[in-house]
Amino acid sequence: MPAPAPPLALTMILNIQGAAFYNSFEWENIPDPTHGRVNYVDRRTSQEQNLTFANADTFILRADSTSFLNPSGPGRNSVRIRSRRAYTTHVAVFDIRHMPQGCGTWPAVWEVQGSNWPYGGEVDILEGVNDEGPNAATLHTGPGCTMPTSREGFSGVRVENNCDATVNGNVGCPVRFPSPASYGPSFNAIGGGFYAMERTPSFIKVWHWARDDASVPNEVKFGNGGGGVSPDNWGAPIALFPNNQCNINQHFGPHNIVINLTLCGDWAGSVYAQSGCPSTCVDFVNGNPQAFAQAYFDIAGVRVYEQ
Ligand SMILES: *[C@@H]1O[C@H](CO)[C@@H](O)[C@H](O)[C@H]1NC(C)=O
Ligand SMILES: *[C@@H]1O[C@H](CO)[C@@H](O)[C@H](O)[C@H]1NC(C)=O
């Protein structure tokens, strides 16, 4: 038998903090592919309207919370950013102090291939709607990527096994997180926390640690002074997507990191009333700007590691 491989150590290649977001990401002022009641603005507009804001260790990304909307005009201004670089085998660490909350919000931190969706794969790291926690981490792929029923090696709950985005109304293969502190108001109440994603040809893993969790690895919490990370030492992930029945190299192309905040749309809009939210989603977004004062990301940093 060959000797077991030593724990993988990955080297930091990108440390994005504060104003560095403006260089590392592109602002996607595109029509919302998920039909949300948003208007994704360009970088200049986002800065002029303070929808993005940066200082030394803070990057804010938010929806407008002051304008009343004309029901027949464009949606509420918001922001969607995509990393300039794309990654295959890598680790991404997200230190997030606050995430968007409120009825109608659908925030996401995720990765996707630029074109030909879903055949290049999609990895949703942090995503949800209408303050309905906890988080779920989800893969969306073309046909032929499924997950085993085994629950070994991760602490979350697999909700669906078939990652194929072309069936089951595109629910993909979500793993639900055990902790309410992984999403929305509960996440924000304790100052947020850390998300990390590791992708190799053998698996995709997602971890979450609450801000005050004593088990946050120091290299996740403090960035290890620009040194590398060894995710093999982080303990079991919350979500594990192995390659047994899913050829990761075949189903996942080079991925960009995307951070977006849409309102209503295919998911948040369709379950809006079930979430206990008032009025209809679109009317609420149009007429209640002040309800979006908490609809912002406060990101302390994003770090990316490769071999
Ligand atoms: C936002 O993110 C989610 C990722 O989960 C994605 O499915 C959706 O298409 C994105 N929405 C927009 C409007 O970009
Ligand atoms: C822009 O947003 C930041 C962060 O929320 C805030 O500190 C700052 O005062 C805002 N600037 C203006 C001009 O409103």
Side-chain angles (χ1 to χ4, degrees):
M1 254 184 30
L8 208 57
L10 295 106
T11 311
M12 184 158 76
I13 54 160
L14 202 58
N15 181 12
I16 314 167
Q17 275 200 305
F21 277 86
Y22 290 117
N23 302 322
S24 302
F25 284 82
E26 284 171 44
W27 268 233
E28 296 191 285
N29 58 323
I30 53 172
D32 177 4
T34 56
H35 315 105
R37 186 69 184 132
V38 289
N39 177 42
Y40 284 132
V41 300
D42 61 18
R43 172 181 148 164
R44 177 192 292 257
T45 308
S46 81
Q47 289 181 284
E48 281 170 2
Q49 299 187 356
N50 212 25
L51 301 179
T52 57
F53 167 86
N55 68 20
D57 70 345
T58 300
F59 179 72
I60 307 281
L61 180 160
R62 65 179 139 223
D64 164 80
S65 61
T66 57
S67 311
F68 290 87
L69 305 183
N70 177 342
S72 53
R76 184 163 298 286
N77 284 354
S78 185
V79 180
R80 170 176 163 130
I81 60 175
R82 169 193 289 267
S83 69
R84 291 184 189 278
R85 288 190 55 176
Y87 309 95
T88 51
T89 291
H90 70 291
V91 168
V93 174
F94 302 86
D95 180 345
I96 303 174
R97 300 189 188 98
H98 186 281
M99 64 175 293
Q101 71 175 69
C103 277
T105 57
W106 174 4
V109 174
W110 55 301
E111 297 195 349
V112 69
Q113 189 179 8
S115 58
N116 206 23
W117 186 91
Y119 298 95
E122 169 178 335
V123 181
D124 299 330
I125 300 164
L126 167 57
E127 186 186 20
V129 296
N130 303 326
D131 292 346
E132 295 244 54
N135 186 52
T138 308
L139 306 186
H140 302 269
T141 66
C145 170
T146 61
M147 291 295 125
T149 47
S150 158
R151 299 190 162 194
E152 266 169 56
F154 64 108
S155 58
V157 176
R158 202 184 301 289
V159 180
E160 284 288 339
N161 292 336
N162 193 351
C163 308
D164 183 353
T166 68
V167 301
N168 295 337
N170 185 24
V171 294
C173 49
V175 170
R176 200 170 50 234
F177 283 36
S179 167
S182 59
Y183 190 80
S186 309
F187 178 88
N188 294 336
I190 52 166
F194 303 88
Y195 270 88
M197 199 279 294
E198 179 182 22
R199 170 177 161 194
T200 76
S202 311
F203 57 75
I204 291 168
K205 295 177 178 175
V206 181
W207 289 262
H208 160 255
W209 298 271
R211 177 73 52 199
D212 57 1
D213 185 335
S215 69
V216 192
N218 275 338
E219 61 196 26
V220 170
K221 196 167 185 175
F222 302 115
N224 196 16
V229 291
S230 302
D232 290 356
N233 299 332
W234 292 353
I238 295 175
L240 167 66
F241 305 94
N243 71 346
N244 315 33
Q245 306 163 32
C246 178
N247 183 330
I248 288 177
N249 282 344
Q250 183 191 326
H251 286 282
F252 293 83
H255 274 187
N256 300 91
I257 298 168
V258 183
I259 301 174
N260 64 347
L261 168 57
T262 193
L263 305 172
C264 309
D266 297 340
W267 185 13
S270 64
V271 299
Y272 182 80
Q274 279 161 257
S275 302
C277 287
S279 177
T280 68
C281 197
V282 167
D283 286 350
F284 187 73
V285 169
N286 290 347
N288 296 279
Q290 71 290 350
F292 297 91
Q294 295 297 312
Y296 68 92
F297 279 107
D298 178 344
I299 303 177
V302 175
R303 299 188 293 270
V304 184
Y305 302 83
E306 282 180 333
Q307 256 175 297

